[in-house]
């Protein structure tokens, strides 16, 4: 005789992929942005699910998108023209709100707390900040803020496109976005640093994180401000930067089958700022030098500082995964609002992929999780693993 538990149908891959969306009240968000005010049924939930699914399983055309909504469970049929109209017309800020509320859901707070650490000796979170360029495959119209029908300019594919500016937690097995801004490709990325740090600071589970970023954010005034706020960071510094060496802390020699490398650990005053920092200079077997600037105390050995900084590469992997496996650069929309709607739905999709693969571990990381989501969507979890 079957028990009640046995009679319950196992969840499908598609249902598990969307399961985290239950943590956010999308209907309340829709009402807040007056989505569907003039219709009896705005169907915002289905629109979101279609756009998110499209983010991780891109279609070559709107006709193909419509076909998918007719055969994939968890989705209700949506004509391509309807998807295009709703995506261009509905305020993209509603999706931004949903994305941010999802990041602050209790489920993701728990996932960040229990995930496997990349450096098992490190008891602090590490937050990486970086930016990548998003190339446009079609022209995008930028409307006037005063009048939607008035087009201020058109961004063409041969221009610099858009910049995706991102802060993400990178010390664990999963890469967790924490803050995002989208800016014109012609805008310098360091201008978004403070906005992203403000997004990071509101996460209650980030107690004194270590920030890592590359030379693109080189700004002596910013370094001094971070130190004044007691915010620890590590970044690259030009090896020939003007500094005054105040104290030679230690030299470290590393010898193995590859040869001998050297580390210099120093307390310095940076240029004419009057502020003291720690500089670690690494010299490789060929005599090439890399310099790290940090506020971390000598409680962290030079090699540990370098190991923490290498976690920054995880945000580069995140960007590569977005560009290779999602539609982050291939939009159906031709309006700026529609493009931003699609971008943030794709980012939500990426968060859901990380959520899915943490709950149902698969070898191969994010790429394998996306392949499973695409090819086994209607399959019960119990039938494949």
């Amino acid at each position: 005789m079957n028990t009640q538990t046995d009679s319950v149908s196992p969840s499908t891959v598609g249902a598990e992929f969307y399961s985290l969306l239950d943590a956010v009240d999308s209907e309340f968000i829709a009402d807040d942005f007056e989505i569907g005010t003039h219709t009896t049924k705005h169907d915002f939930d289905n629109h979101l699910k279609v756009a998110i699914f499209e983010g991780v399983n891109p279609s070559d055309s709107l006709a193909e998108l419509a076909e998918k909504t007719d055969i994939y469970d968890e989705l209700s049929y949506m004509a391509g023209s309807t998807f295009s109209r709703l995506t261009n017309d509905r305020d993209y800020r509603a999706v931004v709100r949903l994305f941010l509320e999802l990041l602050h859901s209790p489920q993701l707070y728990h996932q960040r707390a229990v995930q496997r650490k990349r450096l098992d000796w490190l008891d602090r979170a590490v937050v990486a900040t970086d930016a990548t360029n998003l190339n446009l495959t079609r022209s995008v119209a930028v409307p006037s803020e005063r009048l939607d029908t008035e087009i201020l300019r058109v961004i063409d594919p041969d221009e610099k496109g858009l910049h995706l500016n991102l802060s993400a937690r990178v010390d664990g097995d999963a890469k967790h976005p924490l803050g995002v801004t989208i800016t014109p490709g012609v805008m310098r990325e360091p201008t978004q640093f403070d906005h992203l740090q403000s997004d990071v600071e509101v996460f209650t589970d980030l107690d004194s994180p270590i920030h890592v970023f590359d030379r693109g954010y080189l700004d002596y005034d910013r370094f001094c401000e971070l130190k004044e706020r007691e915010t620890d960071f590590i970044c690259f510094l030009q090896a020939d930067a003007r500094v005054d060496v105040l104290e030679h802390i230690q030299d470290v020699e590393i010898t193995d089958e590859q040869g001998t490398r050297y580390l210099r650990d120093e307390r310095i005053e940076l240029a004419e700022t009057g502020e003291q920092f720690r500089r670690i200079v690494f010299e490789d077997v060929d005599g090439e030098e890399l310099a790290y600037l940090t506020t971390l105390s000598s409680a962290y050995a030079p090699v540990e500082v370098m190991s923490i900084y290498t976690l920054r590469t995880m945000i580069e992997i995140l960007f590569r995964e977005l560009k290779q496996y999602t539609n982050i650069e291939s939009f159906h929309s031709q309006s700026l609002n529609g493009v931003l709607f699609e971008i943030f739905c794709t980012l939500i999709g990426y968060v859901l992929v990380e959520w899915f693969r943490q709950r149902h571990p698969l070898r191969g990381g994010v790429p394998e999780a996306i392949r499973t989501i695409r090819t086994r969507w209607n399959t019960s979890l119990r039938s494949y693993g």
Side-chain angles (χ1 to χ4, degrees):
M1 185 177 74
N2 290 332
T3 64
Q4 183 177 3
T5 302
D6 293 333
S7 65
V8 175
S9 299
S11 181
T12 63
V13 169
E16 279 295 295
F17 173 71
Y18 284 136
S19 62
L20 186 61
L21 291 179
D22 292 338
V24 180
D25 189 347
S26 59
E27 292 297 309
F28 178 82
I29 293 173
D31 291 340
D32 210 24
F33 283 89
E34 299 184 340
I35 292 175
T37 300
H38 304 294
T39 60
T40 56
K41 184 184 179 186
H42 53 70
D43 202 17
F44 186 50
D45 279 348
N46 187 57
H47 182 203
L48 274 175
K49 288 183 176 180
V50 171
I52 291 168
F53 183 61
E54 183 66 12
V56 299
N57 190 12
S59 305
D60 292 331
S61 65
L62 288 171
E64 182 185 341
L65 179 152
E67 289 177 7
K68 287 179 180 177
T69 65
D70 206 24
I71 60 175
Y72 282 83
D73 292 346
E74 308 299 322
L75 302 176
S76 297
Y77 176 76
M78 178 174 284
S81 58
T82 301
F83 177 83
S84 178
R85 174 175 55 80
L86 295 179
T87 304
N88 283 296
D89 291 348
R90 288 176 167 173
D91 194 331
Y92 81 92
R93 291 175 300 175
V95 185
V96 176
R97 169 87 68 81
L98 188 142
F99 172 67
L100 294 176
E101 289 192 10
L102 204 62
L103 297 184
H104 286 276
S105 65
Q107 291 89 331
L108 286 189
Y109 270 84
H110 176 73
Q111 187 185 77
R112 290 191 292 267
V114 301
Q115 67 180 333
R116 182 176 61 84
K117 303 280 282 185
R118 293 186 178 274
L119 299 174
D120 56 13
W121 49 266
L122 184 63
D123 59 0
R124 295 171 66 182
V126 178
V127 175
T129 297
D130 206 347
T132 189
N133 194 66
L134 300 180
N135 296 314
L136 299 178
T137 56
R138 61 178 66 195
S139 298
V140 175
V142 181
S144 164
E145 292 185 7
R146 236 178 0 95
L147 191 63
D148 287 346
T149 56
E150 179 185 346
I151 304 301
L152 288 182
R153 64 178 296 248
V154 174
I155 305 175
D156 292 319
D158 59 352
E159 297 185 50
K160 291 188 176 181
L162 300 171
H163 255 144
L164 171 62
N165 309 279
L166 181 71
S167 284
R169 183 169 176 179
V170 294
D171 57 290
D173 182 54
K175 302 173 290 294
H176 290 275
L178 302 174
V180 177
T181 65
I182 309 293
T183 54
V186 295
M187 183 180 290
R188 293 179 65 249
E189 58 199 57
T191 60
Q192 297 302 297
F193 187 89
D194 292 336
H195 295 294
L196 294 172
Q197 297 311 298
S198 297
D199 287 341
V200 170
E201 288 171 0
V202 300
F203 282 85
T204 58
D205 61 334
L206 292 179
D207 183 20
S208 186
I210 301 170
H211 295 264
V212 292
F213 43 89
D214 66 10
R215 290 192 186 98
Y217 296 92
L218 186 67
D219 185 324
Y220 288 2
D221 290 337
R222 175 177 294 127
F223 297 159
C224 294
E225 290 173 6
L226 290 171
K227 183 180 179 185
E228 186 176 345
R229 299 204 308 258
E230 298 183 343
T231 299
D232 280 329
F233 70 87
I234 310 170
C235 73
F236 272 146
L237 182 68
Q238 296 98 325
D240 60 352
R242 286 194 308 113
V243 303
D244 293 324
V245 178
L246 305 178
E247 180 186 359
H248 200 78
I249 301 172
Q250 63 176 315
D251 288 329
V252 179
E253 184 177 304
I254 305 170
T255 302
D256 55 23
E257 64 275 3
Q258 297 177 353
T260 300
R261 289 148 292 170
Y262 302 93
L263 285 171
R264 296 198 313 273
D265 193 357
E266 304 165 329
R267 185 168 60 87
I268 64 166
E269 183 177 299
L270 188 59
E272 298 174 355
T273 63
E275 287 287 350
Q276 296 181 17
F277 296 88
R278 185 182 177 196
R279 182 178 69 169
I280 295 167
V281 182
F282 172 75
E283 181 182 329
D284 66 18
V285 293
D286 297 319
E288 296 291 328
E289 290 188 345
L290 286 175
Y292 300 81
L293 185 76
T294 184
T295 53
L296 290 175
S297 72
S298 56
Y300 294 88
V303 172
E304 291 177 335
V305 173
M306 294 170 58
S307 296
I308 294 170
Y309 184 80
T310 60
L311 295 176
R312 196 196 67 81
T313 59
M314 300 311 299
I315 199 170
E316 295 177 354
I317 293 173
L318 191 159
F319 287 146
R320 185 167 68 245
E321 289 170 344
L322 283 171
K323 291 186 175 185
Q324 289 184 356
Y325 304 109
T326 75
N327 75 338
I328 199 73
E329 291 184 302
S330 301
F331 316 112
H332 294 293
S333 302
Q334 291 183 285
S335 71
L336 183 60
N337 182 85
V339 166
L340 293 174
F341 194 104
E342 291 189 60
I343 287 175
F344 277 94
C345 281
T346 298
L347 292 172
I348 292 171
Y350 185 88
V351 170
L352 298 185
V353 168
E354 284 282 27
W355 165 256
F356 176 85
R357 80 176 188 90
Q358 293 297 308
R359 284 165 58 85
H360 307 282
L362 296 165
R363 292 180 180 178
V366 167
E368 180 60 23
I370 290 178
R371 188 193 69 80
T372 298
I373 290 165
R374 289 176 179 177
T375 61
R376 299 180 179 271
W377 182 266
N378 292 341
T379 307
S380 66
L381 289 166
R382 194 175 299 165
S383 69
Y384 82 88

